[in-house]
Amino acid sequence: MRPSDVQHFRRLLPMDMPFSYYADRESPWLLGQLMDRNANVAELRKSAAGKLLSRPLVKPLVAGCGGALSQRDVLALAHADKAIDWPDLSKPALQGLEQVFATVWQDFVLSFAEWGKGRRWYDQTTRNRQNLVVQLGFASDHAALMGRYFGKLQRKDLEFDGHPIRLTGRPTLAWARLDICRETGHALIEEVQSDWLRFARDEVEALQSGRPQVRQLAMAEQYEAGLVRLYGKIWPRVMMLAVLTLLCDQLGVQTVWMHQPEAGVALKNIHGTPPPRSLYTDLPRRFCFAATRDRPPFLRSLPKQRTKRLPKSGPLFWRLELVG
């Protein structure tokens, strides 16, 4: 994006945005975007959204809908904090809301920044432009974990200020970099990444391999174990859901793209250790992205020297059409 585009989007967004997450919230939200107002379950099963019907929050609703699924009922489970006041929800939807309110909610917070100075090889951006950064701040349950086990660790030990993180307020659990085209209404997820959990593991391994520091090592191990328990499996899902809801609900984007692993490495000129494949394979699959050799409209005219390292066969991107 041009710097003026990044600033345009930042003006549309607050400094901080609360973002609550409860287990499987992404499934009803995504299904709500991919279905008609009233959908036949048998037809839905044949679509790209079919795998969502067996997810934990959605399955009981499907079982009780009599074969005709209401988009309003589905979205109620994705927006439970608001839907408690929605009239005319079905009995299965109300039962689903009871299930949601009985589970654990985590109060993450989103903040925003910009990334890139037009140096594509250094910035690892597909275009010589800037990205909008969405930062996922830890939920408040992390503060209790830090207070109990952080020990001699310092915040700076688990952060790298060369990455687009927030250095004040809640630490950044993860972030995503976005390239949004205002002219076409398409957005590319350039990167999804987390340092904090990886750096916590590095600290534990460093203590294990150094001089015996029994108490410090024990506290670091318990802190890292708590991190993994609270966030290890869910942070990519929370980050992706935060990005998609922001793009769709706040910024009006309906077509979202993401790099395939090899194509992303080539287009962003990544050297050394590549990003974890699961973030660019399992994560988009979970969110119903479709593999394609097509490119975002704003990347179809890239110079040949930018594309010569692209794979000669197979998909180059993931694409998600949010039509709800």
Side-chain angles (χ1 to χ4, degrees):
M1 288 183 283
R2 297 177 294 266
S4 60
D5 293 329
V6 175
Q7 294 309 312
H8 165 78
F9 288 116
R10 290 202 66 184
R11 284 193 294 270
L12 296 177
L13 299 168
M15 292 290 293
D16 297 306
M17 180 183 294
F19 185 76
S20 297
Y21 182 80
Y22 41 84
D24 199 40
R25 184 183 177 190
E26 64 273 15
S27 296
W29 183 86
L30 190 56
L31 179 58
Q33 310 308 313
L34 299 178
M35 65 182 288
D36 295 329
R37 182 169 296 180
N38 291 287
N40 180 279
V41 171
E43 292 300 317
L44 269 180
R45 291 193 189 280
K46 301 174 187 177
S47 71
K51 60 185 176 182
L52 299 173
L53 301 180
S54 60
R55 298 273 180 86
L57 277 184
V58 177
K59 187 175 181 179
L61 186 61
V62 173
C65 75
L69 191 60
S70 162
Q71 184 188 48
R72 182 178 175 81
D73 283 351
V74 171
L75 288 176
L77 301 185
H79 301 285
D81 54 339
K82 301 174 183 176
I84 194 66
D85 296 322
W86 290 4
D88 303 322
L89 293 176
S90 69
K91 183 177 179 180
L94 292 172
Q95 291 171 338
L97 285 175
E98 289 180 4
Q99 176 187 345
V100 168
F101 283 112
T103 194
V104 175
W105 289 43
Q106 290 173 290
D107 57 339
F108 295 95
V109 64
L110 305 181
S111 53
F112 310 97
E114 61 268 357
W115 170 261
K117 300 184 182 297
R119 302 167 297 172
R120 189 171 71 91
W121 301 127
Y122 176 81
D123 297 334
Q124 294 187 355
T125 56
T126 306
R127 301 195 285 176
N128 290 327
R129 296 190 179 186
Q130 288 189 332
N131 288 165
L132 175 69
V133 180
V134 183
Q135 301 159 328
L136 180 68
F138 274 101
S140 57
D141 52 10
H142 177 247
L145 187 67
M146 287 181 67
R148 188 171 185 181
Y149 295 122
F150 213 55
K152 293 184 179 180
L153 280 173
Q154 299 183 50
R155 176 169 172 165
K156 64 182 179 62
D157 295 330
L158 304 181
E159 293 180 325
F160 173 48
D161 61 8
H163 283 162
I165 61 172
R166 184 172 181 172
L167 297 174
T168 59
R170 296 192 194 187
T172 302
L173 168 58
W175 70 88
R177 293 194 282 109
L178 310 177
D179 189 349
I180 307 171
C181 179
R182 292 174 64 184
E183 290 75 20
T184 63
H186 288 232
L188 169 66
I189 301 173
E190 289 268 38
E191 176 182 71
V192 175
Q193 187 169 327
S194 172
D195 283 342
W196 194 279
L197 275 79
R198 179 165 49 90
F199 287 0
R201 167 83 326 230
D202 291 345
E203 287 290 332
V204 169
E205 291 176 353
L207 287 169
Q208 290 171 337
S209 62
R211 285 183 167 186
Q213 303 177 61
V214 177
R215 177 173 170 76
Q216 187 176 347
L217 173 58
M219 293 185 73
E221 287 177 333
Q222 290 178 80
Y223 174 68
E224 195 256 344
L227 279 178
V228 172
R229 175 177 54 82
L230 288 173
Y231 307 111
K233 291 183 178 180
I234 69 165
W235 77 259
R237 302 178 197 173
V238 181
M239 187 77 259
M240 179 65 87
L241 179 61
V243 165
L244 293 180
T245 57
L246 180 81
L247 289 172
C248 182
D249 299 343
Q250 302 291 325
L251 303 181
V253 171
Q254 289 193 314
T255 305
V256 185
W257 302 75
M258 192 172 182
H259 291 285
Q260 290 279 342
E262 292 78 11
V265 166
L267 286 173
K268 295 185 288 183
N269 198 42
I270 296 174
H271 295 284
T273 304
R277 284 189 63 85
S278 63
L279 293 178
Y280 297 89
T281 52
D282 298 346
L283 184 60
R285 283 195 192 103
R286 180 175 179 84
F287 280 80
C288 298
F289 282 72
T292 178
R293 276 195 70 81
D294 197 5
R295 306 179 194 174
F298 55 90
L299 295 183
R300 289 175 187 160
S301 59
L302 286 175
K304 187 174 182 180
Q305 63 267 28
R306 300 265 188 97
T307 60
K308 62 183 179 182
R309 292 175 55 206
L310 286 174
K312 303 303 180 185
S313 61
L316 299 176
F317 286 90
W318 297 95
R319 181 175 58 204
L320 176 65
E321 299 285 351
L322 299 170
V323 296

